[in-house]
Every structure is written in C-alpha cells, then in structure tokens.
Amino acid sequence: MDSRDVGGHGDRRRRRESSVRETYDVVVVGGGAAGLSGALALTRARRSVLVVDAGEPRNAPAGHVHNYLAREGTPPGELVAAGRAEVAGYGGEFVDAAVREATPRGGGGFRLAFADGRTVEARRLLVTTGLVDELPDVPGLAERWGRDVLHCPYCHGWEVRDLPLVVLATGPLAAHQALLWRQWSADVTIVRHAPCAFTPEEDEQLAARGVRVLDGPVAALEVADDALTGVRVAGGEVLPAGAVVVAPRFHARADVLASLGLAPVVQEVGGQVVGSTVPAGPAGATEVPGVWVAGNVTDLRAQVITAAAAGLAAGAAINADLTDEETRAAVAARRAPVAG
C-alpha cells in the first residue's frame, strides 16, 4: 500500500507527531464539519494544511447528527474524530488553540496569532468558526439547549414526535414556527413570552391546526429526573411539555474575521432580526482576497451536511486560486530573460 494512502498508519503517526511548521498553503480556522471538509479537499489536492480548532463546537450539547446521509444518528464527537482521522491520513495537521487575530502579511498571505502567543503563516485562510446561539432569558433554558430545548424541526422533530410541544413566542415568526412543528406533534402550544401579535390569517391558521395560543411570559422550566416535564408560566400554571421550541438569535463567531476588517452584517426575516453573518460569494470567497468562509459563520441555516458541502466548495475554490497564482508565477519565470 502506498504510504500516502489514508490507510498508511505509520505515515499518519509521523504526521501527528510532527511539530507545527511556520508556513502553510492554507490554515483552516475551525474544526467542525465545514472546516474538516475543506481541509480534506485541500489535503487531497496535495496542499499543506493546518486546522486550528478552539474546541467549542456549536452542536456539542446534541446527542446525534441528523439528516446527514449515511451518517444518520452519529454522535457529533464521533463525526469530528472520523473527519480528523481522514484529514490526517492525507497529511493535514492540527493544533488545538484559539486564534486571537489574523493580519495581512507583506508580500501576500496572512499571519495568525494564537491566544497562547504562537504564530503561524498561511497563503490562504478558510474560516469556519460557526455561530453562537443567543437564547431567550428563561431560567433553566440554556442548560437544556440541544436536548429538549430546540429550534430546528429537521434536526430534532422526529425525536420529539407526538410529545406535547411548547413554543416560546418571541417575535412575529412564532406562528410559522409553531405551524411547522405541528407536522411532528398534534399537541402544540404557543406561549407569548414576549409581546407579539399574529395576523388574522395566522390566528385562523393556528386555530385550524389546533395550535393553542396562551399569554406568558414563561417563568421557568419544570424538570424531574433530568427530563423536561413542563413549562411554568407567570402566575404558576404548568403546561406539560416534552420539548420547548425557541427562536434563538444566531450571531456569527467572527472575531478572527473582524481583525481582517470583515464585520458581520445583521440578518432579518420578515422584519425580525434573526442574527448576523459574514457575507461571502457562492463558494465562500469574502471581500478580503485570500480569505474564504464556510458553514454557519456565513449561513445561519446550514445544517451539518450543508456546512460540509460548503467546506468542500470553499476548499476547491482555494485550491484553484492557489493554482492560478502558481501558474502566473511559472509563466512569469518562463518569460524572464536568462542571465548571461
């Protein structure tokens, strides 16, 4: 077997033991599905790649990954471990660290400064740092996020099918959210946690689908034996609940990009602010030449499989960009007069 194959265990071990070098073709900031997928494409393209991961995955509270073809039900940690092994098998390197800032380098490329004081240089950057979920301020809500406090029916709807569901209404999108979750359960209740009015058409739709609408706010969650049992509203009434549906605000984790002048922009849906993202082109190219993004940092709706696909697209675009640069340099060298 060729030692460059993914199954070359001795070669892989030597790469893991090697120290981080000074310069890489590409540094990937963020080691989730998007970053690992981009790194895999780039290492298979024979590029030198370093993946820098701060170890703060958004889906850490979730027990399983869903809607990922042929990986359905895989725990997130197992998916990352498998992805790391594949990238390492093609020569990719890893460092577990947080990137403090990135700055353009004279003559092209970038210098990255880690929080621990180390630095590394890269010809190109792929940033896949994801987002942060800002949850409604309800006691006990954050502790159960990703378990039985949910937002995406495609990620978790099957797991809570036929259970009583309580939707915390915090804006005008709550009616649409409740109607969507009604696909998975006939027992759906909206509680107006924040003042929000529905249109007459929405009121009719909710009534037609049997979705109850109650005034809040929600005071706390009721939990027994580490399982959600209900939602307590102001006044003391407890609504049975197998899961609580919320609408977080999704904020791009973009400190590294901000250090390069790439600030997140506010995203709205139906006139409601839902979060922020870093703008990018179809393959992830940003306004800063040499910097690409993929995954939730630029796409709030990206699920794991979508983020992985975006990482692949960005990795291919980066390799093409590097190839163009190398070809221009080769042509210029060929045209240069021969000394003597």
Side-chain angles (χ1 to χ4, degrees):
M1 179 179 290
D2 191 300
S3 63
R4 292 172 296 179
D5 286 348
V6 70
H9 300 295
D11 193 41
R12 185 186 309 168
R13 187 178 301 110
R14 286 190 294 273
R15 288 177 183 133
R16 286 174 177 165
E17 293 172 353
S18 63
S19 59
V20 174
R21 66 185 80 174
E22 294 182 358
T23 302
Y24 293 83
D25 290 329
V26 185
V27 169
V28 179
V29 184
L36 291 173
S37 184
L40 184 61
L42 287 159
T43 53
R44 283 178 53 81
R46 308 186 75 174
R47 297 295 180 184
S48 59
V49 177
L50 176 68
V51 179
V52 185
D53 187 17
E56 298 174 342
R58 179 194 180 200
N59 63 357
H64 304 89
V65 170
H66 298 293
N67 293 313
Y68 199 130
L69 189 62
R71 290 284 189 174
E72 173 64 26
T74 303
E78 288 186 15
L79 190 68
V80 168
R84 278 195 166 211
E86 291 173 357
V87 172
Y90 289 107
E93 299 177 27
F94 295 85
V95 60
D96 296 326
V99 176
R100 180 168 48 83
E101 65 177 358
T103 54
R105 186 179 60 179
F110 306 90
R111 177 176 290 106
L112 283 78
F114 298 164
D116 61 12
R118 289 179 292 173
T119 61
V120 68
E121 296 184 348
R123 296 170 64 192
R124 301 291 188 272
L125 293 182
L126 173 56
V127 179
T128 62
T129 43
L131 59 79
V132 176
D133 299 286
E134 180 186 338
L135 301 175
D137 186 15
V138 174
L141 200 71
E143 290 76 8
R144 308 204 66 80
W145 173 238
R147 299 166 61 190
D148 38 35
V149 173
L150 314 168
H151 82 285
C152 173
Y154 300 103
C155 300
H156 303 286
W158 176 263
E159 283 65 41
V160 297
R161 64 193 184 281
D162 299 326
L163 296 178
L165 307 179
V166 175
V167 179
L168 270 65
T170 54
L173 298 179
H176 170 74
Q177 190 176 31
L179 290 168
L180 195 59
W181 278 89
R182 175 63 178 78
Q183 173 65 22
W184 283 266
S185 175
D187 187 352
V188 178
T189 301
I190 292 181
V191 178
R192 289 191 177 100
H193 180 66
C196 59
F198 302 137
T199 67
E201 182 182 13
E202 288 173 331
D203 284 332
E204 183 179 24
Q205 291 171 342
L206 293 167
R209 293 288 280 161
V211 177
R212 293 166 294 175
V213 181
L214 302 176
D215 289 325
V218 170
L221 304 187
E222 296 289 323
V223 177
D225 296 326
D226 198 30
L228 178 70
T229 60
V231 171
R232 179 158 44 87
V233 298
E237 181 182 1
V238 176
L239 305 173
V244 172
V245 176
V246 298
R249 287 193 178 185
F250 310 111
H251 298 289
R253 196 191 300 267
D255 290 348
V256 174
L257 294 163
S259 69
L260 291 164
L262 290 166
V265 298
V266 169
Q267 299 294 311
E268 295 184 1
V269 176
Q272 179 183 4
V273 175
V274 296
S276 63
T277 61
V278 175
T286 70
E287 293 181 353
V288 175
V291 180
W292 274 257
V293 291
N296 284 142
V297 72
T298 188
D299 182 358
L300 299 181
R301 297 181 179 180
Q303 296 187 34
V304 178
I305 194 169
T306 319
L312 169 61
I318 292 170
N319 181 63
D321 188 54
L322 287 167
T323 299
D324 288 345
E325 178 182 86
E326 291 158 356
T327 301
R328 289 192 299 270
V331 169
R334 186 174 187 274
R335 291 176 178 175
V338 178

